[in-house]
Amino acid sequence: MRERFLTGYNDFVLPFVCGMIFVLIYCLVGLVRIILQLPAEDRKRFFISLVTPKTLVKNIKDIFLKCLIHVDIWKRNKLLGYMHSSIAFGWFMLIVVGHIEVMLYTSRLGLKALYYPIFFRYFVAETESTMKGSLIFFLMDFFLLVVLSGIALAIIKRVRSRLFGMRRTTNPSFLDLIGQYSLWSIFPLRLLAESFTADISGGSFLTKSLNYVFTEFLSNHANMLPAWWAYSCALGIFFFVLPFTRYMHIPTEILLIPFRNAGIKIVNARKGFAKAQVYSCPSCGLCIDACPMGVLKGNIKDTTVYLNRQIRRNNETRIEEISDKCLLCGKCTAICPVGVEGDKLRIAQRAVRKYNFGPDYSNIDVSEEIQRCNKFVTNQNNIVSSSDNEKVLYFGGCMTALTPAIMKATGSVLEKAGIEFEIMDKDGGICCGRPMFMAGRFAQAMQLVEKNTEIIMSSGADTLLLSCPICYKIFLEKYHLPGIEIIHHTEYFERLILSGRLKVRKEAVRYVYHDPCELGRGCGVYEQPRTVLSAAGELVEAAKNRKESICCGGSLGSLTLGFEKRKAMTENALNNLVADSPERIVTACPLCMSTFNRYADRPVEDIAMVLDRTAY
Amino acid sequence: MKENIVIVGGGIAGLEAAAQLLDLGYKPIIIEKSDHLGGHVADWNCLFPDMSPAKDVVSSLIARSAEANIFLNTEISFVNKLKDSYNIMLSNGISIITRILLMTTGFSLFDASKKEEYGYGIYDQVMTNKDLEHWFNTGDDKRINNSAMNAVGFVHCVGSRDEKARNPQCSKVCCITAIKQAIELKQKFPDAMVYCFYMDLRMFGKKYEDFYINAQRDYGIRFIRGRVSEVGENIDGRVIVKAEDTLSGKPVKVTLDLLVLMAGMVCNPDSTKVANMASLPIDSDGFLKSRDNVADIIESPKDGVFYAGACTGPKTVPETLAEARAAALKIYLYIKGLE
Amino acid sequence: MIYQGKQKIWADYQKEIPDNHWFYVRSCIRQNFFPGAERMFMEISRNLLGKDIFETENHTTCGGIAYHCDTIPQETVMTIVARQFALMTEAGYENYVASCITSFGNYIEILETWKEFPELETRIRELLWKACKREFNKPKYVAHASDLIYKYRNEIAARAKYRLVDRHTGEPLRAVEHIGCHYAKMFPSRGIGGAEYPYVLCGMIESWGGNVIDYPERRHCCGYGFRQYHVKANRGYSISNTYKKFESMEPYHPDFILTNCPGCPYFMDRWQYVIAETEGKTYGENGYGIPVLTYEELASLVLGYNPWDIGLQLHQVAVEPLLDKLGIEYDPKEKYKGLNEKELMRPELPGVLRCC
Amino acid sequence: MDFGFRISPSSAINLDKVNLEKFEELHRIEPDVYKCMACGSCSSTCPANRYSGMSIRKVILALQRGKEKEAVAMMRNCMLCGKCTMVCPRGINTRHLILSICRIYEEDVK
């Protein structure tokens, strides 16, 4: 191996070197800014996590599996997974092997280290006889082939996205297109350039073979330089546009993973962690198919991928529209390969909205409610009755108030199991605060949380039972109720059945269970309702279920979706549920129940109602 | 087929019944007191809920009933009851002996000047629903000044559901007519504020509710629940309307460039006159009394005398036409029974 | 405004008023408010027109104020009225004329009630007999004194010395007429011209040469409303109503207001002073108020009586600008002289409202 | 001069003088606000009703009558729970309407 030029330099490296330097500086500045934007506490936590061995290992593992191998996409669709990992991992390996090669065969690199690993073949001469690193030659050609296969798939995907399990894909912006075309051209041009040079610099099965083909009709080595120029230019263009395209996700995701592993949450709507999420979005468009609003074509541009794009463009009008329209079902978050939290990001956008006035609950006196709910307090000294029974306080919530059948059925099931309970909001209660929270008005939501906490804490209960997943989520996340177990009725019923306190008669009825967004994706409760239903009848599954369950369309999350617009979503969700011809649709959320009931062609019930019918 | 059938009234009910009877092979006689056929509908411009032109409805009815014997400008002078028939003397000197009499005498529009507090006929800018339809038809009314129509009000239930106006029943069609006219005015004067003062809104018919929602959402017509108590005239000739906004429990006052009174339907005095001559009973609401208000609305208690349309109470156009068809069929069966 | 439309309504609401032989009952409060008014009624109808108007010092209040203030039960007010009718019967009269609008309304209401509930009339006859051993016939005709002046309006016009025309411009004077609420609002058919467009005062103004103004709040109450005024805490409500009327008539620049009720002229006159003091606002020309006259005073003025003889000095709002317009001569020095030529006390001049 | 009483402001609503500029702005964002037919379902189901007299139907009316202060006071205890949206027979998106009112109107109006 010897270097062909004394200088070790040719002008064609300039486009690449400039692009490289630009993108590195850009990323560095961005990194520093994002870290500075984090709240001080989060920043500290981040730095500590970087040096904690456990998180360090996890970071490396996650970055390798997610950024290079794209395991999440593999799980979803093999072809799509291969496409992503072939490009990412292949390119990564080209860079790694390229560097090894340069380090093995050259000394005194100096500034040449900037471009030698990329354009090494141009600067060296290698004869067959001196070729000692045929393995390396082979590896380089192999990974180039891998990347090229990925690029080929990417081109096919643009035309036939259905082959990759995607119905719809993102509409690229102009810069995205430039980035994409330059990315696509990098590797064919590299192949071309290396092939032209292969007789001088050596090559393996791919480059060498092509070289033979080329020399058949293009024997002049002068053809070499334009190919290398083109290759460098493609790289340069790609790097220059990278910060302004979706490809920014490549560097950002490497930051996002340690952020997430450090347990950082979105605080500022546009800065810090939120910004990292927005820039991590690869515009893959998986969220478009996931979005329940997608049944109406007009809503496609309101999916998370477009939210990220608009946030990057600071288009306030569109940001507001997109973030207010969302049902907050959380499905885009659940399926996002890079972990952009579409729902939380939107709530954060809602939170920055300016209101001239807002609610204030300081005038609300809860003493009457406290009086009503203190069944478990025996005397005026606030001593809790010492019975061995559970002391269950049942909070139906606003939505259950509109579906009294659920409240009645729940009460009846509890009675059958011999549970002592008190209904907290028999005559109307105070809202749990979740709807207010979803509207981004956190302080007001917390005021409601405080009011309810006061009532619950003075009730003497040891269990707080909820039948509404909307309430359940905020109770789990924002309420601090020491000594009181917060439990959803699906979980509680399962416990009663498993412990034998509730006997259930199994009937020959086919039930399908709809996972409410807030209960499933929101609180991770998937199994308990299924156990309960399996005890009461035959459980069949919806076409898309659990993490991928489709929102009923009634969600309080959306601020702007009108009643009429929701109809199509509800019907779509119903079609999904009846895939396996169930006789009855069962859910565990009063809002889902009333929404489905509006358009369903078969009975829709809450799980409590099923249990009330079958338990004894 | 020699049977004489006398239809009293050449409004849409009379014309429709005549057309049906002609189809059944009879040659009915229509007696109309005015100089034209079509009655009140002929004075109207468009009909709810599809805004179909009234003149199309009327002209098609006139065309279909053209073969009948039609006496215009003719009133009934007296009616003699013979053994099983009636001798009807007309004002033009002709007398007809008939066994079958179909009353399609319709209604009268409530005389809005009787609601003195609304100042119809006294204040310059007050008109009735009928005047407004006339303007829609001809564009001729000095009360409507095309360049100064900033605020317009509609008063529902003028002379309906009002004991003081001695007309306690609901006139049925005014609610939807007011909404129709409000929309039409708003279309002509998009910048005008249009108010409807109502007590109840009775949107009972096909597509009426859609019409109402349109008026609210698409035309921004303001509905104020409260009966107008009194109307005064401003120094510049505009009218000041006072009512209670019963939904907020506060008196409300507004200055308008035009006030349209939705005059209701009352029994036609001429109808009562003929009824008296033929000894037909009058119901407690002043309209003709049917044999039964549920099952036999188109039959009088007397054999051979039938009713159709608004002579038995306020009716919409489709209801009137349906009754006219039913009456024609009933007459046909009645004649068959006689033979 | 379509004048013919009003004429049609006026034609519908005419009532029969006998020309002569009336039993006259005075108002409780008018003699204090505008003492010249009732005296001039007697003067004009008896002395000038030679009508037979009988009055007796034995009559009392009709009980109307107490009735409308909810302080006496219906039987009581009916018995009081029955006694008045008994006085009329004893005097041999059948036609009953009241000076007060509320009285007029009260009589009509009671007669109508007796028509609907004859057993009530029987009971009242018993009560009256028990109380004072009197019996009565119901009057054949009940009229308000303004009905009579309306009836005599053309006779008065024929004898008039002045017409309601501005001497300087030759234009008819602009007059606001205000009818007492109890005149026709309860029983429209009992008032001349009905309740919505009463003609009783319009007729006088028209036949004496003036022009009647119709303004948006014409029908509105003057604000007196017994309970509103009698309870001091409610007086703000009373004056608010008067204020509303003045605000509404202001753009028409009326020359005077004509009334036929005891309370209305008093409150529309005195409240102009209070409005001027509290709001700093006056409604006449050059800081004056709008003179408020009773129909008797106006009749006396056109007939040429001396303004100070008919009690115009007792008005809060100065009448001099109106007198000037009418061309009526008066001696300002005589204004506060009593009948015996003795100087009465001069009232203190208000701060805002301009007076002479 | 103090007489111990004054002209009290009229309680009547004068529609000629009501400034509807803000309401028009609200209407541009919430066209459905005109659809309310004052059935009262929203008020009867509202959990905040018993605390601040909240009734979105009254709020809509009060804003159209220029009674902004009254409307804003009623909204004080709204919890945004969405029951009113659920029960509205005319499908008005009351929750967003409430948020829009909070953005357009101000608390300290005269």
Side-chain angles (χ1 to χ4, degrees):
Chain A
M1 180 85 66
R2 63 181 173 82
E3 288 186 50
R4 287 172 60 207
F5 309 101
L6 269 178
T7 51
Y9 170 79
N10 188 297
D11 282 345
F12 79 77
V13 303
L14 277 179
F16 162 75
V17 172
C18 294
M20 189 69 196
I21 291 170
F22 169 74
V23 88
L24 281 177
I25 291 172
Y26 186 94
C27 289
L28 200 68
V29 172
L31 175 74
V32 172
R33 282 188 63 190
I34 286 183
I35 290 178
L36 287 178
Q37 283 166 355
L38 287 179
E41 201 181 313
D42 280 355
R43 195 157 52 235
K44 195 173 152 201
R45 188 185 296 166
F46 173 62
F47 287 134
I48 291 172
S49 83
L50 284 184
V51 293
T52 311
K54 204 177 140 197
T55 42
L56 186 67
V57 171
K58 190 168 164 36
N59 284 345
I60 292 166
K61 187 183 135 208
D62 280 0
I63 290 171
F64 182 75
L65 288 179
K66 282 183 198 282
C67 301
L68 295 179
I69 310 294
H70 291 90
V71 277
D72 291 339
I73 304 180
W74 274 96
K75 276 185 221 156
R76 189 163 192 85
N77 182 296
K78 301 252 164 0
L79 201 56
L80 196 64
Y82 174 75
M83 184 196 103
H84 282 93
S85 46
S86 63
I87 299 176
F89 185 65
W91 195 1
F92 175 74
M93 287 313 287
L94 278 177
I95 295 167
V96 171
V97 179
H99 277 82
I100 293 171
E101 192 182 31
V102 170
M103 276 188 282
L104 281 179
Y105 300 108
T106 43
S107 50
R108 295 193 294 108
L109 264 173
L111 274 177
K112 289 187 282 185
L114 274 176
Y115 53 87
Y116 251 46
I118 314 301
F119 306 114
F120 193 54
R121 291 282 185 274
Y122 181 82
F123 292 103
V124 293
E126 178 74 64
T127 56
E128 294 289 332
S129 56
T130 58
M131 192 191 87
K132 291 192 180 112
S134 59
L135 177 66
I136 288 176
F137 277 118
F138 171 76
L139 283 179
M140 290 298 274
D141 269 19
F142 172 73
F143 285 117
L144 186 58
L145 185 64
V146 167
V147 176
L148 283 170
S149 67
I151 299 287
L153 285 174
I155 293 167
I156 294 168
K157 176 177 161 256
R158 267 290 138 197
V159 190
R160 301 288 301 271
S161 63
R162 271 179 195 272
L163 287 177
F164 297 79
M166 290 174 75
R167 288 204 309 127
R168 283 172 293 222
T169 179
T170 327
N171 202 3
S173 69
F174 177 67
L175 282 175
D176 278 346
L177 280 176
I178 292 182
Q180 179 179 307
Y181 292 140
S182 55
L183 177 66
W184 284 357
S185 53
I186 287 171
F187 299 97
L189 286 171
R190 176 174 182 152
L191 177 67
L192 198 66
E194 289 191 346
S195 300
F196 273 126
T197 328
D199 55 344
I200 301 169
S201 61
S204 188
F205 63 95
L206 203 58
T207 42
K208 202 79 181 180
S209 317
L210 265 178
N211 184 263
Y212 291 141
V213 178
F214 288 156
T215 44
E216 282 299 300
F217 49 91
L218 290 170
S219 52
N220 192 345
H221 273 149
N223 291 326
M224 192 158 86
L225 207 53
W228 283 101
W229 265 101
Y231 171 42
S232 172
C233 283
L235 277 168
I237 291 170
F238 181 69
F239 286 142
F240 268 113
V241 296
L242 182 133
F244 316 106
T245 62
R246 60 203 188 100
Y247 299 104
M248 190 60 198
H249 81 90
I250 301 168
T252 319
E253 201 185 341
I254 300 169
L255 176 66
L256 183 72
I257 288 170
F259 271 170
R260 190 168 47 235
N261 288 342
I264 290 170
K265 293 207 160 60
I266 295 176
V267 178
N268 191 303
R270 306 281 167 81
K271 293 177 178 170
F273 190 49
K275 192 168 193 170
Q277 286 201 2
V278 167
Y279 281 87
S280 295
C281 171
S283 276
C284 66
L286 283 177
C287 50
I288 298 178
D289 280 345
C291 184
M293 299 196 301
V295 284
L296 294 180
K297 254 198 159 154
N299 293 334
I300 288 175
K301 292 258 174 177
D302 298 315
T303 43
T304 306
V305 47
Y306 289 101
L307 173 69
N308 293 330
R309 186 182 287 181
Q310 300 300 350
I311 291 178
R312 287 179 65 170
R313 291 180 184 170
N314 285 319
N315 183 344
E316 295 299 331
T317 320
R318 286 290 294 139
I319 295 172
E320 180 173 336
E321 269 172 34
I322 297 174
S323 44
D324 280 5
K325 202 182 224 181
C326 173
L327 294 156
L328 300 184
C329 73
K331 193 168 168 186
C332 54
T333 307
I335 56 109
C336 181
V338 298
V340 174
E341 297 168 299
D343 50 348
K344 296 202 173 105
L345 209 49
R346 283 180 172 89
I347 293 179
Q349 307 309 315
R350 294 176 183 185
V352 295
R353 207 126 317 144
K354 289 273 175 293
Y355 294 99
N356 288 333
F357 68 96
D360 169 21
Y361 310 102
S362 49
N363 64 312
I364 293 181
D365 177 18
V366 292
S367 55
E368 208 179 294
E369 276 81 0
I370 290 175
Q371 209 66 48
R372 209 174 53 222
C373 304
N374 65 352
K375 181 178 176 179
F376 307 110
V377 179
T378 44
N379 58 27
Q380 64 270 52
N381 296 332
N382 288 352
I383 294 169
V384 176
S385 69
S386 55
S387 99
D388 290 338
N389 269 342
E390 301 93 328
K391 293 172 273 289
V392 175
L393 187 65
Y394 172 40
F395 181 69
C398 299
M399 290 301 137
T400 312
L402 291 174
T403 50
I406 297 179
M407 196 176 266
K408 199 175 150 224
T410 307
S412 160
V413 171
L414 292 179
E415 272 163 22
K416 283 177 191 170
I419 309 281
E420 195 188 347
F421 72 100
E422 175 65 45
I423 300 175
M424 182 173 149
D425 54 349
K426 208 184 299 174
D427 307 321
I430 293 167
C431 177
C432 62
R434 175 75 182 151
M436 195 54 101
F437 192 87
M438 289 200 284
R441 310 194 77 176
F442 305 142
Q444 280 89 359
M446 288 317 287
Q447 269 191 315
L448 290 170
V449 168
E450 277 165 30
K451 292 284 170 191
N452 276 321
T453 303
E454 204 179 322
I455 302 169
I456 297 163
M457 289 316 290
S458 54
S459 70
D462 58 12
T463 305
L464 179 71
L465 180 67
L466 301 157
S467 53
C468 175
I470 306 169
C471 305
Y472 186 47
K473 186 164 165 72
I474 196 167
F475 270 101
L476 283 186
E477 289 178 356
K478 301 286 170 197
Y479 281 71
H480 178 61
L481 303 170
I484 297 175
E485 187 191 14
I486 299 161
I487 192 164
H488 189 251
H489 73 341
T490 51
E491 300 169 288
Y492 197 68
F493 292 156
E494 188 213 31
R495 188 185 293 172
L496 291 179
I497 293 170
L498 293 183
S499 64
R501 291 180 69 177
L502 203 59
K503 303 255 183 309
V504 184
R505 194 172 51 242
K506 192 170 177 123
E507 287 179 343
V509 180
R510 284 165 72 84
Y511 293 110
V512 67
Y513 174 68
H514 165 74
D515 288 284
C517 309
E518 297 273 80
L519 190 64
R521 286 184 292 263
C523 303
V525 177
Y526 295 112
E527 292 312 323
Q528 294 89 332
R530 287 182 166 80
T531 313
V532 173
L533 276 183
S534 302
E538 184 192 344
L539 178 71
V540 300
E541 285 296 346
K544 292 215 158 111
N545 55 39
R546 294 172 202 254
K547 207 177 90 175
E548 303 226 346
S549 135
I550 301 174
C551 172
C552 68
S555 168
L556 287 172
S558 173
L559 298 176
T560 52
L561 267 183
F563 180 73
E564 278 303 312
K565 298 249 168 79
R566 293 172 186 250
K567 186 181 172 190
M569 295 161 208
T570 308
E571 282 170 345
N572 180 45
L574 278 168
N575 286 339
N576 171 59
L577 284 173
V578 299
D580 203 1
S581 335
E583 289 160 70
R584 287 168 176 269
I585 296 167
V586 182
T587 181
C589 168
L591 185 50
C592 295
M593 185 175 99
S594 34
T595 308
F596 280 141
N597 252 329
R598 213 168 281 141
Y599 306 111
D601 60 348
R602 58 202 83 194
V604 182
E605 304 174 295
D606 187 89
I607 200 159
M609 292 154 73
V610 175
L611 208 53
D612 185 32
R613 206 170 43 236
T614 52
Y616 58 95
Chain B
M1 293 296 165
K2 282 281 178 196
E3 193 71 45
N4 270 339
I5 301 169
V6 173
I7 298 174
V8 188
I12 54 162
L15 293 175
E16 175 69 32
Q20 297 288 338
L21 289 167
L22 282 166
D23 285 350
L24 290 166
Y26 299 97
K27 199 169 167 69
I29 302 158
I30 299 175
I31 300 163
E32 168 59 44
K33 70 177 173 196
S34 76
D35 61 355
H36 67 277
L37 294 169
H40 293 281
V41 179
D43 298 335
W44 236 243
N45 180 38
C46 282
L47 302 175
F48 51 79
D50 295 332
M51 298 302 221
S52 30
K55 71 171 189 315
D56 291 1
V57 174
V58 172
S59 57
S60 112
L61 281 173
I62 291 176
R64 284 169 54 217
S65 55
E67 294 298 308
N69 281 320
I70 299 169
F71 295 107
L72 292 176
N73 299 311
T74 308
E75 286 185 56
I76 291 177
S77 302
F78 60 81
V79 178
N80 273 343
K81 176 90 176 82
L82 307 174
K83 190 165 155 278
D84 59 350
S85 60
Y86 293 93
N87 177 15
I88 295 169
M89 187 66 169
L90 303 183
S91 59
N92 57 8
I94 295 171
S95 94
I96 306 164
I97 292 181
T98 178
R99 288 192 292 180
I100 292 133
L101 192 62
L102 174 61
M103 298 287 286
T104 55
T105 46
F107 65 94
S108 285
L109 207 63
F110 176 78
D111 175 8
S113 64
K114 281 191 189 160
K115 288 296 285 180
E116 291 166 14
E117 62 269 39
Y118 296 161
Y120 178 65
I122 290 178
Y123 300 135
D124 292 331
Q125 293 306 105
V126 181
M127 57 159 50
T128 62
N129 40 5
K130 190 179 172 176
D131 299 337
L132 186 59
E133 290 290 334
H134 179 76
W135 180 75
F136 287 145
N137 274 328
T138 64
D140 172 33
D141 196 307
K142 65 176 173 22
R143 285 169 285 205
I144 298 177
N145 175 354
N146 289 317
S147 60
M149 290 287 276
N150 300 316
V152 181
F154 284 83
V155 186
H156 291 227
C157 300
V158 174
S160 302
R161 306 182 71 195
D162 183 354
E163 288 190 7
K164 294 285 162 59
R166 292 194 293 181
N167 205 32
Q169 91 276 355
C170 165
S171 295
K172 207 170 182 178
V173 298
C174 332
C175 284
I176 183 71
T177 305
I179 289 173
K180 179 196 83 107
Q181 294 186 338
I183 289 177
E184 287 175 295
L185 262 190
K186 187 85 182 171
Q187 284 168 342
K188 295 205 158 60
F189 305 104
D191 296 331
M193 190 71 112
V194 179
Y195 300 97
C196 279
F197 294 92
Y198 70 97
M199 304 196 291
D200 274 337
L201 282 174
R202 302 190 158 185
M203 296 293 127
F204 59 90
K206 187 178 166 71
K207 295 214 272 186
Y208 288 11
E209 182 73 4
D210 298 352
F211 223 68
Y212 174 32
I213 296 179
N214 275 354
Q216 286 181 294
R217 187 192 46 203
D218 304 335
Y219 293 96
I221 289 160
R222 309 294 172 97
F223 288 85
I224 298 177
R225 187 180 179 278
R227 200 183 175 99
V228 169
S229 64
E230 65 178 48
V231 179
E233 195 175 81
N234 219 342
I235 191 158
D236 57 12
R238 293 190 296 159
V239 285
I240 295 181
V241 170
K242 287 192 199 173
E244 185 192 342
D245 177 21
T246 57
L247 295 175
S248 65
K250 295 264 167 32
V252 64
K253 178 167 110 164
V254 63
T255 312
L256 302 173
D257 297 301
L258 183 71
L259 186 68
V260 185
L261 306 178
M262 302 310 296
M265 290 187 186
V266 292
C267 60
N268 183 347
D270 290 332
S271 166
T272 319
K273 212 167 82 190
V274 177
N276 286 338
M277 289 190 256
S279 311
L280 298 171
I282 304 292
D283 215 339
S284 58
D285 58 3
F287 288 89
L288 301 184
K289 187 173 168 67
S290 299
R291 183 172 292 173
D292 185 287
N293 280 333
V294 177
D296 295 317
I297 191 91
I298 55 166
E299 284 180 65
S300 82
K302 291 214 187 304
D303 284 347
V305 181
F306 300 89
Y307 302 144
C311 60
T312 52
K315 303 265 159 61
T316 63
V317 170
E319 285 166 348
T320 301
L321 295 178
E323 280 191 6
R325 282 167 209 142
L329 182 63
K330 202 88 195 175
I331 288 168
Y332 171 78
L333 295 173
Y334 179 77
I335 294 169
K336 285 275 169 287
L338 291 178
E339 288 160 2
Chain C
M1 199 73 67
I2 305 160
Y3 188 72
Q4 292 80 358
K6 279 193 181 174
Q7 281 179 314
K8 238 177 86 191
I9 287 187
W10 293 335
D12 288 348
Y13 290 100
Q14 284 299 329
K15 67 176 181 183
E16 198 186 341
I17 308 164
D19 191 53
N20 210 341
H21 309 298
W22 290 93
F23 181 82
Y24 182 59
V25 282
R26 292 198 181 221
S27 151
C28 305
I29 54 179
R30 289 188 85 200
Q31 290 158 90
N32 303 321
F33 290 176
F34 300 105
E38 285 181 341
R39 195 186 78 80
M40 290 316 295
F41 174 75
M42 298 304 265
E43 165 69 25
I44 292 169
S45 40
R46 266 184 187 163
N47 302 342
L48 196 72
L49 305 174
K51 310 289 179 187
D52 168 25
I53 312 282
F54 177 84
E55 70 167 332
T56 166
E57 68 277 17
N58 288 331
H59 88 74
T60 62
T61 173
C62 71
I65 293 184
Y67 174 56
H68 285 283
C69 288
D70 273 354
T71 52
I72 57 171
Q74 202 189 22
E75 274 100 342
T76 312
V77 68
M78 282 183 171
T79 314
I80 296 171
V81 165
R83 183 179 168 277
Q84 312 278 68
F85 290 160
L87 294 176
M88 176 194 74
T89 311
E90 286 160 19
Y93 282 83
E94 286 179 319
N95 305 331
Y96 193 94
V97 60
S99 164
C100 169
I101 284 286
T102 293
S103 282
F104 174 72
N106 197 26
Y107 296 131
I108 301 285
E109 184 183 335
I110 287 169
L111 289 171
E112 290 291 325
T113 311
W114 287 348
K115 207 192 275 173
E116 300 288 330
F117 304 96
E119 68 282 0
L120 200 55
E121 186 189 335
T122 318
R123 180 168 155 69
I124 297 300
R125 285 181 185 278
E126 284 166 14
L127 287 175
L128 181 68
W129 182 254
K130 242 189 246 172
C132 56
K133 304 276 179 296
R134 283 182 201 267
E135 284 177 301
F136 69 94
N137 293 333
K138 284 189 280 186
K140 218 167 166 182
Y141 293 98
V142 177
H144 182 250
S146 60
D147 292 340
L148 290 195
I149 298 292
Y150 167 80
K151 172 109 183 154
Y152 306 147
R153 71 192 188 283
N154 293 329
E155 282 178 69
I156 292 170
R159 292 159 192 257
K161 221 173 134 189
Y162 304 99
R163 286 187 62 74
L164 299 177
V165 172
D166 191 323
R167 193 167 54 109
H168 311 291
T169 63
E171 292 288 316
L173 292 181
R174 292 175 301 269
V176 155
E177 42 92 36
H178 175 84
I179 306 288
C181 291
H182 296 155
Y183 176 69
K185 281 179 184 164
M186 297 187 290
F187 296 94
S189 61
R190 298 309 192 93
I192 292 162
E196 296 294 335
Y197 311 94
Y199 188 55
V200 58
L201 297 179
C202 290
M204 295 180 202
I205 295 166
E206 281 176 1
S207 68
W208 299 339
N211 244 358
V212 183
I213 287 168
D214 197 346
Y215 62 107
E217 296 291 357
R218 172 176 53 76
R219 301 170 175 104
H220 205 75
C221 170
C222 69
Y224 177 19
F226 303 145
R227 289 182 234 209
Q228 310 328 330
Y229 181 74
H230 289 318
V231 181
K232 191 179 174 188
N234 290 350
R235 281 183 197 165
Y237 181 58
S238 171
I239 193 172
S240 301
N241 281 282
T242 319
Y243 177 68
K244 190 176 184 175
K245 279 188 82 74
F246 279 109
E247 286 294 307
S248 174
M249 70 174 78
E250 188 189 12
Y252 297 83
H253 305 296
D255 294 307
F256 68 94
I257 298 167
L258 184 63
T259 62
N260 72 342
C261 174
C264 310
Y266 189 73
F267 284 90
M268 291 172 78
D269 184 59
R270 303 301 200 267
W271 280 149
Q272 286 194 63
Y273 154 70
V274 179
I275 291 170
E277 290 294 327
T278 54
E279 305 292 312
K281 185 148 189 193
T282 54
Y283 294 94
E285 290 158 11
N286 309 321
Y288 286 99
I290 305 170
V292 188
L293 302 176
T294 69
Y295 55 94
E296 295 103 326
E297 288 169 344
L298 186 68
S300 310
L301 281 181
V302 299
L303 285 167
Y305 286 92
N306 181 339
W308 309 143
D309 284 354
I310 63 174
L312 294 190
Q313 60 274 67
L314 278 126
H315 287 236
Q316 174 67 62
V317 175
V319 293
E320 283 86 340
L322 176 65
L323 300 179
D324 291 339
K325 279 181 206 164
L326 285 167
I328 296 172
E329 283 174 25
Y330 58 93
D331 184 356
K333 286 193 285 262
E334 297 286 306
K335 186 170 181 180
Y336 295 107
K337 271 204 178 125
L339 280 176
N340 45 9
E341 294 294 304
K342 226 172 87 183
E343 187 72 25
L344 300 170
M345 299 257 281
R346 277 181 174 269
E348 194 184 322
L349 282 176
V352 180
L353 185 70
R354 187 161 165 206
C355 295
C356 292
Chain D
M1 194 181 289
D2 182 19
F3 296 91
F5 55 89
R6 287 193 68 88
I7 291 171
S8 42
S10 170
S11 67
I13 298 158
N14 188 343
L15 289 177
D16 301 340
K17 290 187 181 153
V18 174
N19 182 355
L20 290 176
E21 227 167 81
K22 282 190 174 168
F23 192 78
E24 291 302 334
E25 192 185 337
L26 181 68
H27 173 241
R28 272 194 295 281
I29 305 170
E30 309 284 342
D32 281 359
V33 67
Y34 278 158
K35 274 167 73 185
C36 174
M37 55 174 179
C39 70
S41 310
C42 48
S43 338
S44 56
T45 195
C46 178
N49 182 274
R50 59 181 171 142
Y51 301 114
S52 66
M54 170 61 178
S55 155
I56 188 66
R57 97 106 180 116
K58 277 192 196 164
V59 168
I60 293 173
L61 187 73
L63 293 179
Q64 290 189 71
R65 302 286 184 264
K67 309 257 173 201
E68 297 174 14
K69 203 176 172 179
E70 251 172 59
V72 168
M74 267 187 265
M75 290 175 59
R76 184 174 184 212
N77 286 157
C78 169
M79 306 177 194
L80 222 57
C81 69
K83 281 174 87 181
C84 46
T85 313
M86 293 284 289
V87 298
C88 179
R90 280 285 178 91
I92 301 174
N93 185 353
T94 49
R95 290 179 77 228
H96 197 255
L97 176 64
I98 290 165
L99 290 172
S100 296
I101 293 171
C102 291
R103 290 175 83 173
I104 293 169
Y105 289 88
E106 274 156 46
E107 195 158 29
D108 47 353
V109 286
K110 275 82 56 201

